[in-house]
């Protein structure tokens, strides 16, 4: 096996093929660069600005042309109910067509891709790590101490080339999409090429035809829907968002089958931190109330109000007795 094929086998697909995981979206280059049309005072100034715009657009186009993602943000899926269901699905497909065995995603690699990016050297990787750490407080603000549960149900494909388990619709979609958009913005603000021309569609890939190049030569050009029709609406289970990893597409995978990671954010740690902060705030308020109650003027006011309340109560009882005596 050549080094190139070995690299392809280590990662589910090469960087270009990884883009097939998410549908492409068109980008207005001018808007993306932040160039806006403004009235010009004279034709000379106008021509100069047009030249500047043209250069910026050309540079951006060159960057996009050379854009080859090699890192990504991953939400690992480890719930045994889900992974077990996927293994059963994969086995059922392979039983129908043994050629597809090499197209299956390996155990330990199941994940949701939150964002893809290009990090060309160690300095850029360190910038990416910094961006991921900066993302923590934003995620904390989005989740507000709540758990984010992701339910998986049903099967679909991207162009009959990539098979994936769908993320069911529901209230969980809004915070997940907000996290994805915030991650994209955070990394791009650091100057990292991230999420270029790609729209986020959360999914859990279980097979890719691009993993096995020989399939096309052997006549397998698409995933036949009949292969997974029994699982078309199957409920695979729920995964709680526990962490977000910065993973390499090309480096050798770990012994458990998961990707090589540079850094991760523990979502449970964020939730625990938020709950801890809430407890601290509550303790602070209780302390303030105690200090307030110990003030002599407050105690005097409380005694006065209690006495007045008791006096009014006794007066009402006396009046009731007088009324009852009169009636009898």
């Amino acid at each position: 096996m050549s080094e190139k094929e070995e690299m392809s086998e280590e990662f589910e697909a090469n960087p270009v093929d990884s883009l097939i995981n998410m549908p492409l979206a068109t980008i207005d280059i001018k808007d993306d660069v932040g160039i806006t049309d403004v009235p010009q005072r004279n034709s000379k100034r106008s021509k100069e600005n047009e030249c500047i715009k043209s250069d910026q657009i050309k540079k951006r186009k060159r960057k996009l042309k050379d854009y080859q993602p090699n890192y990504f943000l991953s939400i690992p899926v480890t719930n045994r109910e889900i992974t077990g269901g996927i293994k059963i699905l994969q086995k059922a497909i392979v039983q129908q067509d043994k050629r597809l065995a090499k197209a299956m995603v390996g155990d330990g690699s199941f994940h949701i891709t939150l964002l893809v990016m290009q990090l060309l050297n160690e300095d850029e990787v360190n910038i990416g790590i910094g961006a991921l750490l900066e993302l923590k407080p934003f995620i904390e603000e989005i989740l507000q101490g709540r758990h984010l549960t992701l339910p998986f149900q049903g099967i679909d494909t991207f162009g009959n080339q990539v098979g994936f388990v769908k993320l069911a619709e529901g209230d969980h979609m809004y915070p997940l999409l907000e996290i994805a958009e915030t991650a994209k913005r955070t990394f791009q603000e650091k100057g990292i090429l991230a999420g270029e021309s790609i729209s986020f569609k959360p999914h859990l890939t279980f097979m890719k035809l691009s993993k096995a190049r020989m399939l096309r030569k052997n006549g397998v050009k698409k995933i036949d829907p009949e292969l997974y029709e029994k699982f078309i609406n199957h409920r695979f289970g729920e995964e709680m968002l526990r962490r977000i990893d910065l993973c390499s597409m090309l480096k050798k995978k770990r012994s458990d089958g998961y990707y090589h990671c540079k850094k991760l954010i523990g979502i449970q740690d964020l939730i625990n931190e938020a709950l801890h902060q809430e407890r601290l705030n509550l303790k602070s308020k209780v302390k303030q109330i105690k200090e307030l109650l110990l003030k002599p003027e407050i105690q005097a006011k409380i005694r006065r109000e209690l006495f007045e309340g008791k006096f009014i109560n006794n007066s009402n009882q006396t009046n009731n007795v007088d009324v009852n005596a009169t009636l009898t």
Side-chain angles (χ1 to χ4, degrees):
M1 184 181 291
S2 68
E3 185 179 349
K4 186 176 180 181
E5 289 173 336
E6 195 170 347
M7 183 179 289
S8 176
E9 199 57 35
E10 284 295 343
F11 177 56
E12 298 169 6
N14 64 36
V16 175
D17 290 331
S18 70
L19 294 178
I20 205 169
N21 273 351
M22 296 186 228
L24 299 180
T26 57
I27 277 188
D28 185 329
I29 298 295
K30 185 168 69 173
D31 290 342
D32 200 42
V33 176
I35 305 170
T36 54
D37 294 320
V38 293
Q40 303 301 328
R41 292 185 178 180
N42 56 60
S43 58
K44 186 176 180 181
R45 179 73 60 84
S46 177
K47 286 180 180 179
E48 288 175 357
N49 285 329
E50 285 298 323
C51 289
I52 293 171
K53 285 183 183 181
S54 178
D55 288 341
Q56 287 177 324
I57 292 170
K58 285 178 181 177
K59 286 179 182 179
R60 186 63 175 174
K61 283 182 176 179
R62 280 198 297 271
K63 280 187 176 182
L64 291 175
K65 185 179 179 180
D66 297 333
Y67 177 59
Q68 297 286 332
N70 60 342
Y71 276 83
F72 65 103
L73 293 185
S74 166
I75 299 174
V77 176
T78 58
N79 183 344
R80 291 185 179 180
E81 181 185 0
I82 298 173
T83 58
I86 291 176
K87 289 176 186 177
I88 293 171
L89 164 65
Q90 291 175 327
K91 186 178 180 180
I93 292 174
V94 172
Q95 283 177 344
Q96 298 174 73
D97 191 339
K98 290 182 172 56
R99 295 175 298 176
L100 295 174
K102 290 187 177 181
M104 298 300 165
V105 173
D107 187 20
S109 297
F110 300 126
H111 69 281
I112 292 176
T113 300
L114 196 66
L115 182 70
V116 297
M117 68 196 72
Q118 177 177 269
L119 303 175
L120 296 177
N121 50 53
E122 199 61 31
D123 288 340
E124 290 192 3
V125 170
N126 290 331
I127 292 173
I129 292 171
L132 185 60
L133 292 175
E134 285 188 17
L135 191 59
K136 286 183 70 174
F138 295 115
I139 295 176
E140 185 178 4
E141 184 179 348
I142 292 169
L143 295 180
Q144 296 183 348
R146 298 188 297 268
H147 291 289
L148 181 56
T149 302
L150 307 174
F152 292 92
Q153 180 178 1
I155 303 294
D156 202 352
T157 69
F158 291 135
N160 292 319
Q161 299 297 305
V162 177
F164 62 89
V165 178
K166 295 191 294 184
L167 185 63
E169 294 294 329
D171 294 339
H172 56 275
M173 290 296 288
Y174 178 75
L176 182 62
L177 293 174
E178 192 174 359
I179 289 172
E181 184 59 34
T182 303
K184 181 178 178 180
R185 184 173 64 251
T186 302
F187 276 78
Q188 287 182 343
E189 286 175 354
K190 291 286 187 180
I192 295 172
L193 284 174
E196 302 292 340
S197 304
I198 300 173
S199 62
F200 176 59
K201 182 177 180 180
H203 62 280
L204 175 52
T205 301
F206 66 86
M207 70 178 294
K208 291 181 183 180
L209 295 187
S210 61
K211 274 179 60 65
R213 303 294 182 183
M214 296 300 293
L215 286 175
R216 183 169 289 274
K217 292 182 180 179
N218 292 333
V220 181
K221 297 181 179 180
K222 66 178 184 177
I223 302 171
D224 188 344
E226 291 184 2
L227 295 171
Y228 55 82
E229 62 180 352
K230 291 182 180 179
F231 295 84
I232 200 72
N233 291 313
H234 180 73
R235 296 179 66 88
F236 286 86
E238 297 180 343
E239 179 74 30
M240 188 180 294
L241 177 60
R242 299 184 185 278
R243 71 177 200 261
I244 296 174
D245 305 331
L246 176 60
C247 298
S248 170
M249 294 181 179
L250 302 178
K251 291 188 177 182
K252 187 176 181 179
K253 290 183 181 179
R254 303 184 326 196
S255 58
D256 61 359
Y258 192 60
Y259 301 92
H260 175 85
C261 294
K262 296 299 291 186
K263 194 71 179 178
L264 60 86
I265 289 181
I267 302 301
Q268 187 60 48
D269 293 339
L270 290 180
I271 293 172
N272 291 339
E273 188 177 327
L275 292 173
H276 176 66
Q277 192 61 45
E278 282 188 14
R279 283 193 292 268
L280 289 179
N281 291 338
L282 187 60
K283 285 182 180 179
S284 177
K285 288 179 181 178
V286 170
K287 185 180 178 181
Q288 289 175 4
I289 292 171
K290 284 182 178 179
E291 290 174 351
L292 193 64
L293 291 174
L294 289 174
K295 291 182 178 181
E297 62 270 24
I298 298 298
Q299 290 182 352
K301 186 177 181 181
I302 292 172
R303 282 195 295 269
R304 186 166 60 252
E305 289 182 357
L306 288 173
F307 176 77
E308 289 176 355
K310 187 176 180 181
F311 178 77
I312 293 170
N313 224 11
N314 290 337
S315 298
N316 289 337
Q317 287 178 0
T318 303
N319 290 337
N320 288 337
V321 170
D322 292 341
V323 170
N324 288 333
T326 302
L327 291 173
T328 55

